[in-house]
Amino acid sequence: MTRSSFSYRHVVSASADRPGPPSRRRAAALSLCLSLSLMGCQSVADTQAPSANGAATASAGETGAADQPNPGSSSQPSPAPSNESNSGSSNPPNSGASNEPSAQASSNGIDASTSRDSAEFDAWVASFRRHAAAEGIDRATLEAAFGQASFQPKILEYDRSQPEFSRQIWSYLDTAVSDSRISNGRERLAAHRDTASAVEREYGVPAEVIVAIWGIESNYGSNFGDFETIDALSTLGFDGRRQSFARDELMAALEILQNGDIDRDRMRGSWAGAMGHTQFIPSSFLAYAVDEDGDGRRDIWGSIPDVMASTANYLARAGWRTGQPWGAEVRLPENFDYAQTELDTRHSSQEWIAQGVAAVAGAALPDFAEASVIAPAGAQGPAFLVGPNFRAILRYNASTSYALAVAKLSDRIAGRGGIQADWPRSEPALSRSQIRRLQSALNANGFDVGTPDGLVGPNTRKGLRAYQRSIGTTPDGYPTQRLIQRLTGG
Ligand SMILES: [Ca+2]
């Protein structure tokens, strides 16, 4: 995404209303980062709240999460990770690896170095088993989990890959909110109407929003990843980029097996450990999964009632306000101060209206006590007024692109309209090296954006706006090839 700036923000502290894992697992779960493949989570690993699928909780309140969706979700053809500077360089686990080929790394054909790793893996597993036993996981569960644990080199490749180009938000939305995604969502909603309505009544989250998340996370269950979660997390815990996170999730996965919610063989999902229809990482499962159908198991792999209720429960715990819309598309006035287009800038709807912010034709502006205005593609693209429920969706996956996809897919499933303004589709996606050049040039010219990392976040946008003001162009903080050429002289 070119907007590569989609920054993933990490929450620095778990606020009271933020969903969080049960206490015992709190520290561990707090190390979740986003499921976004590129997000750098390392430096914040121990302080952030988890999102459902392992995505770092966006801080809708901190620096304004901007961002990119969860690559792993089946819905995304290609992971587009992008991230914010200062967040470290490691890749977060991807929640839904559904789009990746399921890597069945067999021991056949692996080279010598892999074989050596495999032997080391076995030793690591033996050590982890002892640790898990000391933590209270029983012998039968450990034998079921690790009796045939398999090292998956392919997962390490996914974990270490960093796409040079990320997708533009409109490209992501074209896929995430495609006509077929919309029609399939309506069909799924009709097919599960009674369940969805019951869950809506119980949790206060609209059925179309629940279905939209289901659609974005796993294309309505058609593709939630076929990696065995124990193998995936063992491999990542052994040699991944965020071993501490993976090990904590592996412990949570063992707890799930011990509880009897699912058998090891059916505990499947993305290469990064996000599981089932809703792409919950194990710690999120422990904290939010629900046994809606009453069979005694929380089954997000096979029970649609459990899937829907778990998703609704997550959003409810993330602060969903019953009866409120996520937000609305808006028109911004001439001379609008784009420095305000960050999620951490919040005003009441009335205050925004006083600045000239208006609903696009045919839409009503929701009355929010605290709302943000976002313009994900700058002044040349659509703008949106977003409220608490948009922020709740961001808790599921801390990416503005993701949250907008869920919001608009839910609108379309419910029969409401799509985005009216045009995206600046002629803007080419920027590569990480181009963004690094932009960042270096901004620093060199006195617009401090921190260490160049090729990822656009709040700091980069802030520096870019200052530069844009200095040359008399609209300071929207949206990086384009033209701006980079002007700033670098080519
Ligand atoms: Ca159940």
Side-chain angles (χ1 to χ4, degrees):
M1 129 129 333
T2 328
R3 202 189 141 17
S4 41
S5 355
F6 287 141
S7 60
Y8 293 108
R9 251 355 254 175
H10 308 254
V11 170
V12 186
S13 64
S15 63
D17 63 337
R18 175 164 289 134
S23 58
R24 173 184 176 289
R25 208 143 289 300
R26 184 147 210 110
L30 294 183
S31 65
L32 297 195
C33 266
L34 241 8
S35 8
L36 305 190
S37 68
L38 282 197
M39 140 163 252
C41 295
Q42 206 160 29
S43 62
V44 291
D46 294 329
T47 52
Q48 69 200 12
S51 61
N53 46 25
T57 304
S59 72
E62 298 286 325
T63 8
D67 80 54
Q68 199 73 143
N70 183 345
S73 290
S74 29
S75 40
Q76 272 146 304
S78 69
S82 272
N83 192 9
E84 154 59 335
S85 27
N86 14 350
S87 42
S89 55
S90 88
N91 278 352
N94 212 326
S95 56
S98 354
N99 46 340
E100 274 112 0
S102 65
Q104 302 302 0
S106 74
S107 43
N108 298 332
I110 49 186
D111 63 22
S113 66
T114 304
S115 297
R116 185 196 63 231
D117 287 346
S118 217
E120 290 175 1
F121 174 76
D122 292 342
W124 181 85
V125 166
S127 169
F128 193 87
R129 277 181 74 149
R130 290 190 292 275
H131 166 64
E135 291 283 306
I137 301 299
D138 63 45
R139 181 186 298 264
T141 298
L142 290 172
E143 183 51 34
F146 297 122
Q148 49 197 336
S150 163
F151 179 48
Q152 309 273 339
K154 194 74 186 171
I155 285 177
L156 297 181
E157 287 178 29
Y158 290 145
D159 189 40
R160 287 167 181 150
S161 69
Q162 293 220 345
E164 175 66 5
F165 282 87
S166 50
R167 300 173 73 188
Q168 289 283 24
I169 186 171
W170 50 87
S171 168
Y172 168 71
L173 290 173
D174 286 347
T175 303
V177 195
S178 65
D179 288 345
S180 62
R181 184 68 59 74
I182 295 164
S183 60
N184 287 337
R186 289 173 179 162
E187 287 173 14
R188 295 301 178 114
L189 182 53
H192 300 282
R193 185 75 242 186
D194 291 348
T195 296
S197 295
V199 167
E200 176 172 341
R201 282 192 301 274
E202 188 171 358
Y203 297 93
V205 179
E208 64 268 20
V209 171
I210 297 166
V211 171
I213 285 192
W214 185 22
I216 303 282
E217 289 294 338
S218 67
N219 203 13
Y220 310 109
S222 68
N223 190 5
F224 56 68
D226 198 33
F227 289 91
E228 294 186 22
T229 301
I230 294 294
D231 288 347
L233 292 172
S234 294
T235 297
L236 292 168
F238 163 60
D239 198 24
R241 292 162 57 90
R242 297 191 313 116
Q243 294 170 18
S244 172
F245 161 81
R247 292 169 186 179
D248 290 338
E249 290 304 318
L250 182 55
M251 277 298 302
L254 293 174
E255 213 170 302
I256 293 166
L257 291 178
Q258 182 160 286
N259 290 344
D261 286 308
I262 190 77
D263 296 331
R264 186 205 196 278
D265 290 349
R266 286 188 58 226
M267 182 186 255
R268 290 170 182 261
S270 79
W271 65 263
M275 313 180 298
H277 289 257
T278 46
Q279 296 287 283
F280 274 21
I281 52 171
S283 59
S284 289
F285 179 100
L286 288 175
Y288 308 112
V290 171
D291 171 24
E292 184 73 7
D293 63 16
D295 70 348
R297 293 177 159 214
R298 297 187 286 177
D299 182 2
I300 59 171
W301 298 265
S303 164
I304 299 307
D306 288 9
V307 167
M308 289 186 165
S310 296
T311 297
N313 183 44
Y314 189 96
L315 290 174
R317 301 270 298 278
W320 190 272
R321 311 280 179 92
T322 303
Q324 281 192 11
W326 60 270
E329 185 178 349
V330 295
R331 276 185 289 104
L332 303 179
E334 291 290 320
N335 302 320
F336 181 76
D337 177 9
Y338 280 86
Q340 299 179 101
T341 56
E342 295 286 349
L343 287 165
D344 61 351
T345 295
R346 301 182 192 178
H347 299 302
S348 68
S349 293
Q350 291 309 312
E351 290 172 302
W352 287 117
I353 289 169
Q355 286 196 39
V357 174
V360 293
L365 207 53
D367 184 16
F368 295 128
E370 283 196 355
S372 302
V373 167
I374 58 172
Q380 302 308 310
F384 307 90
L385 176 78
V386 301
N389 290 345
F390 191 84
R391 293 194 287 271
I393 297 168
L394 283 169
R395 303 272 178 80
Y396 209 99
N397 187 326
S399 151
T400 297
S401 297
Y402 173 88
L404 199 53
V406 169
K408 292 312 300 180
L409 180 57
S410 68
D411 278 353
R412 299 301 307 282
I413 288 171
R416 294 186 290 269
I419 295 171
Q420 297 191 25
D422 294 328
W423 293 103
R425 290 177 178 270
S426 61
E427 289 294 343
L430 300 179
S431 67
R432 291 189 67 163
S433 57
Q434 284 177 306
I435 297 294
R436 271 192 294 271
R437 278 177 53 221
L438 169 71
Q439 292 168 326
S440 295
L442 286 169
N443 283 335
N445 284 277
F447 305 103
D448 183 30
V449 299
T451 305
D453 61 359
L455 303 169
V456 182
N459 290 339
T460 297
R461 288 194 292 272
K462 185 177 179 185
L464 183 54
R465 287 186 188 111
Y467 168 67
Q468 289 174 310
R469 272 190 290 272
S470 76
I471 59 172
T473 62
T474 303
D476 62 3
Y478 182 63
T480 62
Q481 226 163 52
R482 206 172 319 114
L483 273 174
I484 294 174
Q485 284 165 356
R486 178 160 179 177
L487 188 56
T488 64

